Amino acid sequence: MQGQSVWLDAGTHRIPVRVYRPGPRSYGWLVWAHGGSWQAGAIEHWHGPVMDLARTTGCTVVSTGYRLATGTPPSWRTC
């Protein structure tokens, strides 16, 4: 299983997203925003765990990136 990488246009910036499908059938959707406290981490660091999550749950998992803070954490709306 591989994650399909796409970019979503959010007006002032683009958001990286990966979609992990467990197979031809899915039992729902999960949205995964990686840890990092808006300061560290990246969507790429979570490829293995998110792939396992999709496989284990049978759900399609959408893993979303977000802008990292430069001092003040941005709103959750940026992911």
Side-chain angles (χ1 to χ4, degrees):
M1 170 189 325
Q2 291 293 320
Q4 176 187 3
S5 296
V6 295
W7 288 87
L8 300 179
D9 186 3
T12 60
H13 61 283
R14 294 175 8 140
I15 301 170
V17 174
R18 284 194 182 165
V19 179
Y20 295 84
R21 292 184 176 86
R25 299 182 76 176
S26 176
Y27 297 101
W29 291 77
L30 294 170
V31 177
W32 179 268
H34 67 80
S37 302
W38 287 283
Q39 296 175 352
I43 195 171
E44 296 84 13
H45 299 155
W46 290 90
H47 174 75
V50 174
M51 189 169 52
D52 289 343
L53 182 62
R55 186 178 298 123
T56 301
T57 64
C59 293
T60 296
V61 180
V62 178
S63 178
T64 178
Y66 50 83
R67 292 189 297 173
L68 300 181
T70 57
T72 304
S75 166
W76 62 270
R77 292 181 188 99
T78 64
C79 59

